[in-house]
Every structure is written in C-alpha cells, then in structure tokens.
Amino acid sequence: MPIRIPDGLPARDLLVREGVQVLDESIATRQDIRPMRIALLNLMPNKIETESQIARLVGATPLQVELTLVRIGSHVARNTPEDHLISFYHTWDEVKDRKFDGFIITGAPIETLPFEDVTYWDELTQILDWTETHVHSSFFICWGAMAAVHHFHGVPKHTLKEKAFGVYRHHNRKPESPFLTGFSDDFSISVSRWTEVRRENIPSGSGLNILMESDETGLCLLHEARGNRLYIFNHIEYDSTSLENEYRRDVASGKQIAVPANYFPDDDPSRKPKNRWRSHAFLLFGNWINQMYQTTPYNLEDIGTDRAGDSKTR
C-alpha cells in the first residue's frame, strides 16, 4: 500500500517519479484500513531534501503509512521557506496530544556543540520523554541518535580529530535480529559526522544492544527493547549525491575537507559516485515498519500504556 502524505507536498512528484506509491490525503480519508501513523521530527536545515529521503524509505512498505511532519517550535528555520513550514509542518506542541506508531528524529548540523548548549535542547528533551508514552517505536538518526542515547542513558559523545566522512564497511553483529532480516554479514553505509558514541561508554544493564558497527567508524546501530528504540549514528537514508553535495559545499566555502572515503570511483571527485547502501536502507526501514505493525496496538490510545511509570536510566 502507498504512503499517505499531505496534498501538495513537494516530495510527492519526486517519489512518484521513483515509483513510490503515493496516496493523497484527500483520497486516503475514504479508505477504511487504519494506516500506520509515523511522525518525522525534521531537524535538518534542508527540510525538503530530508523529508524526501525519509518518505522514500517509509513509502516502500506494502502498508499504508500516514506521515506527519514535525518541527521544533522554539527554533526558527533559516534554510526552508516559511510557507513550506506553515503548509506542511506541525510544531510538537500541536501534535503532543496525539499518539503515533512510529516517531523519527533526524540528525542536525550541531554535533560539536555540548547538548545543553543547543538552543532547543529543553524542548527536545521534553519530546524525548513524551515518546515514552505517546510513541510505540522510535527511530533516531545521527545527531538525533546521539542526543537520545545521551538523554536516556547518559552516554557521552566524543569529538573526532577528523570528520568521519565517506562510505564504510559495516558488520552485522546480530543476524538474528528482526531489524536485520535480509542483511548481509557485511555491507556499506554512508557516514558524515564529527563526533562518535563509543562501545565502552554503553552502560552495563542499559539494554542497549549493538546491531551494526564498523572497524573504521565504530558504532552504527543500537536497539533498545525496553523503550522499543533504534539508534543509528550514520546516514543510511542519504541520497546518492548527499555526500558529494556536502563535499562540494565545504570546498566552495574554503573549508579543509578530505574527499569522502570509498565514495567516488578511484576517489576521483570528477567521477559519478556509486550508491552502495540503498538496498540496506530499504531493508532496515522495511523491517522496522514490519516490526511496528506486528506489535503496535490497534487502538492508538493504548500506545505507551505498557510503559507507564518507567523511568530513564540516567
């Protein structure tokens, strides 16, 4: 079944061209099947690009998915037109009384800042606490994953001497995990970050299980059964040209940046890059949605009631 998105969303035409089945909101309301309700808290500066990347992945399931776009209410976006935000986005305050099967929080280009120095940190921590009682399964990406694992478990992030930037080989540490169904023993994922979370900082008894990691760039994917959470520190959702665009942007601005590793053929930026992570991106999101579908309550109001009284490990 198709993904249900707001009428007129710019990502629609791109998704249709790529063969993703799209259901306009006005048509979906006439169907009787309950859709999977997934919200995307988009912290990236280019929101249109990021919402397209995520919609592409959640729209590949045979289930009907209703995607709600959410933004931080206390932060003014400078790289997305205001009319786009008004037309398609809700602030968290506007959706906090609703419940969702899934909730995704993206990365943000603020990873070298201490968490407490982020201008919207207070609102984000409220949202993270809210997911415990209003969301069946959460999926945190890159900086969003570092922020969440720090908030829930006190795990620190460490600044790297050089940016982890490129496409790196990763290992499947838990082939038996339903989130890794269909995954190879090793595979490639795009990486773009100045910080990392380290294996030795995972608290004993936290329930955090390592699903993917790389010999070169460390931890990639963690799963936490108690909170029904996935934390991915790399960008499996990236387009083929995302790393190239970041590289050329930094070069144009005069920043010292290395050519992304293992990305351009023969590390030659004049050649077209190869996408070697796309299939695993679809697998991971498809597995996540499948697990969500099998375990979420049919009655949305029952979501989170099994976690009432739970406290964070901090």
Side-chain angles (χ1 to χ4, degrees), residues 99-103 130-138 227 303-304 307:
K99 293 197 174 184
F100 295 91
D101 300 295
F103 198 83
W130 166 88
T131 63
E132 295 209 87
T133 54
H134 286 72
V135 175
H136 178 64
S137 182
S138 300
I303 287 175
R307 298 189 208 124

Side-chain angles (χ1 to χ4, degrees), residues 6 26 31 37 41 79 197 245 281:
S26 55
Q31 296 195 350
R37 294 188 176 179
L41 178 62
N79 296 284
V197 167
N245 293 340

Side-chain angles (χ1 to χ4, degrees), residues 52 75 182:
S52 298
H75 178 71

Side-chain angles (χ1 to χ4, degrees), residues 110-303:
I110 50 174
E111 56 184 315
T112 58
L113 283 176
F115 291 120
E116 292 74 14
D117 289 349
V118 174
T119 57
Y120 51 80
W121 181 247
D122 287 345
E123 183 174 353
L124 183 61
T125 58
Q126 292 178 53
I127 294 172
L128 291 171
D129 289 340
W130 166 88
T131 63
E132 295 209 87
T133 54
H134 286 72
V135 175
H136 178 64
S137 182
S138 300
F139 198 149
F140 307 113
I141 300 172
C142 201
W143 182 85
M146 295 182 192
V149 79
H150 173 74
H151 177 69
F152 290 122
H153 298 285
V155 178
K157 62 182 173 69
H158 301 271
T159 302
L160 300 169
K161 293 180 179 179
E162 296 181 352
K163 185 178 184 180
F165 191 41
V167 181
Y168 294 92
R169 181 179 177 183
H170 285 70
H171 304 293
N172 182 345
R173 297 302 191 202
K174 295 281 185 181
E176 69 276 14
S177 169
F179 298 103
L180 298 185
T181 298
F183 269 72
S184 309
D185 292 336
D186 57 71
F187 40 87
S188 296
I189 296 179
S190 58
V191 180
S192 179
R193 49 181 166 79
W194 282 99
T195 54
E196 67 178 1
V197 167
R198 296 174 182 168
R199 173 188 270 261
E200 60 265 28
N201 293 139
I202 296 177
S204 175
S206 64
L208 293 168
N209 291 300
I210 299 170
L211 302 190
M212 300 178 187
E213 65 181 331
S214 166
D215 293 338
E216 297 170 280
T217 58
L219 293 177
C220 176
L221 181 67
L222 306 178
H223 174 241
E224 179 189 358
R226 185 198 68 82
N228 204 4
R229 306 179 183 113
L230 284 176
Y231 307 81
I232 189 166
F233 304 112
N234 299 328
H235 286 288
I236 202 169
E237 84 285 0
Y238 263 11
D239 293 328
S240 301
T241 58
S242 296
L243 293 176
E244 178 182 14
N245 293 340
E246 290 182 12
Y247 170 71
R248 301 200 188 285
R249 176 201 65 200
D250 288 348
V251 169
S253 65
K255 293 181 180 179
Q256 294 295 318
I257 186 70
V259 174
N262 315 309
Y263 178 56
F264 296 107
D266 299 322
D267 292 329
D268 181 354
S270 68
R271 300 179 64 182
K272 184 178 180 181
K274 301 289 186 181
N275 189 314
R276 290 183 282 116
W277 61 92
R278 181 188 296 115
S279 59
H280 288 95
F282 280 102
L283 265 179
L284 180 59
F285 274 79
N287 289 341
W288 175 58
I289 292 173
N290 184 42
Q291 284 301 302
M292 190 192 313
Y293 173 72
Q294 292 186 48
T295 58
T296 194
Y298 182 81
N299 184 348
L300 281 165
E301 292 308 310
D302 291 338
I303 287 175

Side-chain angles (χ1 to χ4, degrees), residues 33-45:
I33 301 173
R34 164 163 124 60
M36 300 297 292
R37 294 188 176 179
I38 297 177
L40 169 65
L41 178 62
N42 193 348
L43 304 178
M44 293 294 280

